[in-house]
Amino acid sequence: MLVVIKKDYEEVSREAARIVAGAVRSNSQIVLGLATGSTPLGLYKELIALHRAGDLDFSQATSFNLDEYLGLPAFHPQSFHFFMKQNFFSHVNFPSGNVHIPDGTISRNYDEYCAQYEQSIKAHGGIDLQILGIGRNGHVGFNEPTSSLASRTRLKALSRETVEDNRHSFSNDSEVPKCAITMGIGTILDSRRVLLLASGRSKAAAVAKAIEGIIDEDAAYSLTQRDYYRHVLEMTQIFTPERLS
Ligand code: GLP
């Protein structure tokens, strides 16, 4: 595991984009695991810019998103379907048939639906590169604290903290989703590579506990081993630079 500490959000986003773009260029049929939230927005902007400059082609890529709120249709402005369309898919040449995001409108047979999502990831050969943000309470996707390391895609009740964090985005309390469909920690860990991004002081506690990834100085604030991580990064640049490409 490599910890990359960058000066600020812009640098985190640029470095993440460099890694994702490199992965897409070296495997045009890449299967990407994608995340929502404010953290990967800068990464998506950078990828869009590279695509517009003619430097990045997604025409053969496939994606699986981490999660979706239960009860929100794709056109709902707070849904992750909407987010992904607005902030990424409508700006690049990702074939819509290759995009997979859990369906927030299902209302029964949840386990069966989630098993199919898992099956679909497997059928595509698994996730090559998974992008992750991290919630204030350390959740990834919607795997709230206490989620099992072996967990798979499933319906998950959101923690009070997460529901609180989301409240401001909805016009009334009854609309705020209480559950989500999320890939599990086990699903995420099956990915060949994981890129966890964090930025800002509000993430420092979660990062210190969950650690590692590409983070900015603020999110790295509570790490006790910062000098060692820098040293590891320098050695990696010298001896195994391919791990950073
Ligand atoms: C949501 C998403 C997570 C994301 C988290 C943090 O809960 N399900 O995948 O990492 O928010 O969001 P932000 O990046 O906006 O801090």
Side-chain angles (χ1 to χ4, degrees):
M1 198 180 297
L2 267 181
V3 183
V4 182
I5 303 177
K6 291 286 171 184
K7 186 162 78 57
D8 54 23
Y9 180 67
E10 281 64 41
E11 281 198 12
V12 166
S13 302
R14 262 199 302 278
E15 177 68 357
R18 188 184 68 76
I19 290 173
V20 175
V24 174
R25 287 184 193 120
S26 66
N27 174 11
S28 57
Q29 298 186 13
I30 193 165
V31 179
L32 292 171
L34 298 179
T36 55
S38 50
T39 308
L41 277 178
L43 160 65
Y44 293 142
K45 282 208 180 92
E46 297 281 338
L47 293 177
I48 292 166
L50 289 171
H51 171 70
R52 287 201 173 132
D55 274 348
L56 200 53
D57 173 26
F58 294 100
S59 63
Q60 296 181 70
T62 295
S63 69
F64 285 89
N65 258 78
L66 278 169
D67 48 10
E68 179 58 284
Y69 289 119
L70 189 69
L72 299 195
F75 59 81
H76 192 291
Q78 297 306 327
S79 75
F80 291 163
H81 276 79
F82 193 86
F83 175 101
M84 289 307 299
K85 195 171 174 198
Q86 288 281 103
N87 295 302
F88 187 52
F89 291 129
S90 64
H91 308 284
V92 295
N93 66 335
F94 222 105
S96 56
N98 292 5
V99 169
H100 305 83
I101 305 176
D103 180 0
T105 66
I106 57 164
S107 54
R108 60 199 174 92
N109 299 337
Y110 301 103
D111 287 347
E112 195 184 319
Y113 176 80
C114 293
Q116 278 165 15
Y117 199 73
E118 287 279 331
Q119 191 43 48
S120 182
I121 294 173
K122 269 210 192 88
H124 284 85
I127 292 170
D128 294 304
L129 176 59
Q130 174 69 55
I131 313 298
L132 285 183
I134 185 164
R136 261 194 324 130
N137 66 0
H139 72 221
V140 289
F142 272 129
N143 293 284
E144 299 286 22
T146 77
S147 290
S148 155
L149 291 181
S151 53
R152 312 303 306 191
T153 302
R154 68 211 182 289
L155 184 68
K156 185 79 189 161
L158 301 178
S159 70
R160 194 177 304 171
E161 199 172 6
T162 301
V163 173
E164 281 304 321
D165 280 352
N166 290 337
R167 196 168 295 264
H168 68 274
S169 315
F170 292 84
S171 45
N172 64 65
D173 281 8
S174 63
E175 261 204 358
V176 186
K178 308 290 182 301
C179 291
I181 295 169
T182 182
M183 280 186 200
I185 304 279
T187 323
I188 293 166
L189 292 177
D190 279 352
S191 310
R192 292 180 187 91
R193 215 170 169 202
V194 175
L195 198 56
L196 186 148
L197 311 175
S199 167
R201 194 62 67 88
S202 66
K203 299 294 174 68
V207 165
K209 282 190 195 152
I211 178 77
E212 334 276 65
I214 299 178
I215 52 190
D216 66 11
E217 293 284 356
D218 276 344
Y221 183 73
S222 302
L223 295 179
T224 55
Q225 307 283 329
R226 291 159 64 131
D227 290 343
Y228 175 63
Y229 294 140
R230 275 204 183 94
H231 175 63
V232 171
L233 192 58
E234 276 164 28
M235 293 300 105
T236 304
Q237 274 152 355
I238 294 168
F239 295 112
T240 50
E242 65 281 0
R243 288 186 64 200
L244 288 162
S245 65

